[in-house]
């Protein structure tokens, strides 16, 4: 049955430039006609690709997106009145369609509206914001626009709550936000702000027929030191992932607000303890929390977002969606397949369009696995595992007018040893940089650079991941006020190897 309400059919092509100007403003409308920046992938697929099912790899290419973007519906509430009165534009300022237009301009194939909650915000989303999302989908059909919110997670910092695209998506978000978002009740309810309520929320999401995704935002922004965590802790990540492993799937490796230094602020808004190369300490530290979670065999992925509220040229700390950070998902141009790619770790992330494509495969005896997948090898043999890294350099200039170059690529490997002895564990001492590659170590093949390395005599379960940089830093250093354009990195998600 056709979903007429949410359909983005041929009639969208007839939307007039006048309507774009009305809803998005002249500047954003002109940007909509600009060429894509940073080598974004094609945004229109054939009908055959759209007919693919989850697990079907046909038609999949790397599709750049951003799951953390704010609109004017990140506003404020007058709580002196009952019910509270909502005012648009108090925190973020752009219409939903403006964000979609700028996402298209900077080469994104998909984007997500993630506005802040607040008292009775579930009704604002349902009655005011969602109709604007539908209008934006019609005005900018080239960009898939997910519905969801920046969820006020009980006992934790904010999280993406991404809703699958379907006829009743607005009602699905309303149900979850009104039942579980900690700031939605009016008057306030202290019982909403507990870890038990967070686990209850994740279990409720897991039991839904159409399963959402939950991804932690700026996980260490409230940390006061290296390993001195704030609102989000290793214990909470583990308990949430245990409760709903196919729902609660990861955290932002590179948080938004990366333009902070351009206006004298902290990169990412990390004013207590800084990011490293633009990445959260939980991701950037080799052998740190992310590696600890992976070392348990958890399928826990990282992403990169803009957290766009106000562009830095207007005094904010943000880039436009896709202008600086991108989350690349191997998928068809299809809502369901992009969510499937996110759920299953077919993801790599990058900043400043240092590269536009990344491949990581592990192979042995004719079998192979890529990012998010698992290669199974036999314990009966002395098994070598071949690692192949492929990356595609930017052909042209990035959004800053630069032609960035990769100076080094690192291969990082860690052991998978099972559940940690403590839920608070935040290290994996087995994780190491096993090889560093410079320009003399890779060779060009059909527009890509290729690096190969062999892991000898693999005797136990492991994972491998890759990062690369435009800098000469052996490890990403703590960030100061340097321009983010001078400190670019990319990270893959891992490929796993199981010995059986």
């Amino acid at each position: 049955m056709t979903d007429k309400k949410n359909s983005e059919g041929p009639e969208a092509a007839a939307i007039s430039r006048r309507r774009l100007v009305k809803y998005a403003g002249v500047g954003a409308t002109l940007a909509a006609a600009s060429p894509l920046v940073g080598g974004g992938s094609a945004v229109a697929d054939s009908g055959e690709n759209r007919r693919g099912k989850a697990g079907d790899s046909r038609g999949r290419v790397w599709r750049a997106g951003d799951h953390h973007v704010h609109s004017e519906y990140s506003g404020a509430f007058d709580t002196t009145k009952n019910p509270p009165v909502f005012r648009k534009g108090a925190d973020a300022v752009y219409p939903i369609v403006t964000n979609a237009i700028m996402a298209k301009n900077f080469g994104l194939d998909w984007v997500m509206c993630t506005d802040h909650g607040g008292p009775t915000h579930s009704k604002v989303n349902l009655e005011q914001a969602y109709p604007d999302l539908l209008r934006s989908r019609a005005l900018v059909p080239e960009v898939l626009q997910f519905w969801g919110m920046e969820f006020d997670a009980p006992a934790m910092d904010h999280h993406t709550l991404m809703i699958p695209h379907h006829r009743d998506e607005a009602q699905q978000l309303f149900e979850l936000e009104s039942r579980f978002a900690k700031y939605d009740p009016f008057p306030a309810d202290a019982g909403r702000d507990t870890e038990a309520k967070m686990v209850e929320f994740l279990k409720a999401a897991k039991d839904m027929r159409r399963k959402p995704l939950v991804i932690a935002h700026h996980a260490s922004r409230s940390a006061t030191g290296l390993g001195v965590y704030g609102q989000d802790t290793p214990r909470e990540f583990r308990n949430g992932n245990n409760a709903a492993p196919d729902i609660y799937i990861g955290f932002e490796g590179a948080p938004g607000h990366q333009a902070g230094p351009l206006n004298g602020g902290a990169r990412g808004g990390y004013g207590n303890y800084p990011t490293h190369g633009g990445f959260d300490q939980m991701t950037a530290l080799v052998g740190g929390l992310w590696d600890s979670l992976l070392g348990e065999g958890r399928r826990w992925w990282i992403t990169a977002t803009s957290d766009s509220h106000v562009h830095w040229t207007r005094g904010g700390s943000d880039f436009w969606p896709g202008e600086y950070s991108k989350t690349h998902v191997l998928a068809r141009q299809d809502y369901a397949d992009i969510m499937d790619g996110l759920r299953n770790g077919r993801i790599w992330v990058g900043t400043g369009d240092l590269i536009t494509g990344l491949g990581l495969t592990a192979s042995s005896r004719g079998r192979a696995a890529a990012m998010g997948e698992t290669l199974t090898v036999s314990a009966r043999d002395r098994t070598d595992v071949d690692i192949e890294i492929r990356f595609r350099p930017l052909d042209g200039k990035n959004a800053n007018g630069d032609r960035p170059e990769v100076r080094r690529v690192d291969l990082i490997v860690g052991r998978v040893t099972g559940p940690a002895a403590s839920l608070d564990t935040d290290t994996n001492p087995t994780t190491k940089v096993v090889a560093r590659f410079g320009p003399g170590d890779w060779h060009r093949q059909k527009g890509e650079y290729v690096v190969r390395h062999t892991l000898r005599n693999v005797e136990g379960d492991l994972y491998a991941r890759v990062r690369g940089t435009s800098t000469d830093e052996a490890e990403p250093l703590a960030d100061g006020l340097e321009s983010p354009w001078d400190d670019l990195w990319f990270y893959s998600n891992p490929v796993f190897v199981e010995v059986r």
Side-chain angles (χ1 to χ4, degrees):
M1 181 176 69
T2 301
D3 183 354
K4 294 182 179 179
K5 181 172 69 172
N6 293 338
S7 175
E8 292 118 15
E11 70 277 7
I15 296 292
S16 68
R17 182 61 57 88
R18 182 179 303 170
R19 290 182 66 189
L20 275 173
V21 171
K22 176 181 178 182
Y23 292 115
V26 175
T29 303
L30 293 174
S34 302
L36 299 183
V37 174
S41 58
V43 294
D45 273 353
S46 68
E48 179 181 0
N49 289 344
R50 288 184 174 273
R51 289 195 294 271
K53 297 180 180 180
D56 179 357
S57 63
R58 289 177 298 175
R60 285 177 176 163
V61 299
W62 289 111
R63 301 193 185 272
D66 186 340
H67 65 82
H68 187 177
V69 179
H70 291 262
S71 78
E72 61 190 343
Y73 288 102
S74 288
F77 289 86
D78 181 356
T79 56
T80 65
K81 298 179 173 61
N82 191 359
V85 176
F86 177 71
R87 177 169 60 89
K88 291 197 294 186
D91 188 32
V93 299
Y94 304 112
I96 293 173
V97 68
T98 300
N99 287 329
I101 288 170
M102 299 311 290
K104 173 188 171 184
N105 181 61
F106 288 108
L108 297 192
D109 300 318
W110 59 274
V111 73
M112 181 182 160
C113 186
T114 48
D115 284 312
H116 290 297
T120 70
H121 183 262
S122 55
K123 288 190 65 177
V124 173
N125 260 341
L126 183 66
E127 297 171 359
Q128 299 181 47
Y130 185 65
D132 273 10
L133 174 75
L134 297 181
R135 183 180 294 115
S136 181
R137 284 174 173 170
L139 290 168
V140 193
E142 302 92 341
V143 179
L144 300 185
Q145 299 173 55
F146 285 91
W147 183 230
M149 70 173 296
E150 182 165 52
F151 184 66
D152 298 314
M156 299 185 73
D157 207 336
H158 299 143
H159 285 58
T160 280
L161 172 53
M162 177 182 276
I163 303 298
H165 178 257
H166 60 98
R167 177 183 295 275
D168 296 320
E169 60 189 350
Q171 287 294 333
Q172 185 176 5
L173 178 60
F174 178 78
E175 177 184 349
L176 290 169
E177 183 178 6
S178 62
R179 287 178 60 192
F180 298 107
K182 65 184 173 187
Y183 297 138
D184 200 66
F186 185 80
D189 177 5
R192 285 288 189 98
D193 196 14
T194 67
E195 185 179 351
K197 182 61 70 172
M198 180 65 175
V199 171
E200 182 186 347
F201 154 68
L202 291 168
K203 288 181 176 178
K206 180 180 68 173
D207 291 340
M208 289 180 157
R209 184 164 70 90
R210 295 182 173 93
K211 298 184 185 302
L213 289 176
V214 177
I215 302 170
H217 291 172
H218 39 71
S220 295
R221 194 168 69 182
S222 56
T224 57
L226 185 63
V228 185
Y229 305 116
Q231 289 178 272
D232 294 350
T233 65
R235 174 180 297 268
E236 290 169 311
F237 291 137
R238 286 185 169 93
N239 285 337
N241 183 247
N242 289 343
D246 58 342
I247 303 294
Y248 197 23
I249 60 164
F251 46 46
E252 289 176 338
H257 302 313
Q258 293 276 341
L262 301 180
N263 281 327
R267 198 166 172 183
Y270 279 48
N272 297 318
Y273 183 82
T275 52
H276 287 239
F279 280 72
D280 188 290
Q281 62 165 290
M282 293 180 176
T283 296
L285 182 64
V286 173
L289 178 57
W290 186 31
D291 288 312
S292 177
L293 297 171
L294 296 177
E296 294 182 288
R298 294 180 189 273
R299 272 46 180 176
W300 189 262
W301 319 122
I302 63 165
T303 61
T305 68
S306 67
D307 198 355
S308 178
H309 287 66
V310 179
H311 196 262
W312 71 271
T313 55
R314 292 187 56 181
S317 59
D318 306 322
F319 293 109
W320 290 109
E323 183 181 4
Y324 183 75
S325 300
K326 289 181 171 72
T327 295
H328 300 259
V329 179
L330 188 63
R332 295 176 289 276
Q333 185 66 353
D334 171 87
Y335 284 96
D337 205 47
I338 287 171
M339 284 194 76
D340 183 78
L342 288 167
R343 201 182 307 273
N344 291 291
R346 300 193 304 272
I347 309 164
W348 66 271
V349 304
T351 57
D353 289 312
L354 177 58
I355 61 172
T356 60
L358 178 64
L360 169 65
T361 58
S363 61
S364 179
R365 298 178 181 271
R367 296 185 298 274
M371 270 179 256
E373 298 178 340
T374 302
L375 172 69
T376 301
V377 300
S378 172
R380 294 189 299 270
D381 304 313
R382 290 171 57 86
T383 303
D384 292 346
V385 173
D386 296 316
I387 302 293
E388 182 179 85
I389 304 162
R390 291 178 173 266
F391 63 94
R392 184 177 295 275
L394 175 64
D395 183 13
K397 297 180 180 180
N398 64 16
N400 197 48
D402 302 326
R403 297 179 182 270
E405 295 184 357
V406 178
R407 304 286 287 273
R408 196 187 70 253
V409 174
D410 296 333
L411 175 62
I412 301 167
V413 176
R415 293 279 306 277
V416 176
T417 56
S422 168
L423 292 173
D424 298 315
T425 299
D426 65 351
T427 61
N428 183 347
T430 73
T431 306
K432 309 290 182 186
V433 177
V434 299
R436 298 185 190 271
F437 308 101
D441 299 312
W442 51 68
H443 62 280
R444 190 147 190 153
Q445 276 187 4
K446 297 181 180 179
E448 295 181 315
Y449 289 112
V450 182
V451 182
R452 295 186 176 91
H453 181 83
T454 300
L455 303 176
R456 300 291 184 188
N457 300 324
V458 173
E459 298 177 345
D461 296 353
L462 57 81
Y463 63 89
R465 59 182 183 88
V466 170
R467 71 180 178 193
T469 182
S470 66
T471 75
D472 293 323
E473 299 171 6
E475 294 297 324
L477 300 178
D479 295 323
L481 293 180
E482 72 276 8
S483 170
W485 295 105
D486 296 331
D487 188 17
L488 305 182
W489 295 78
F490 63 82
Y491 283 63
S492 78
N493 274 282
V495 58
F496 289 89
V497 177
E498 292 184 350
V499 179
R500 295 292 180 265

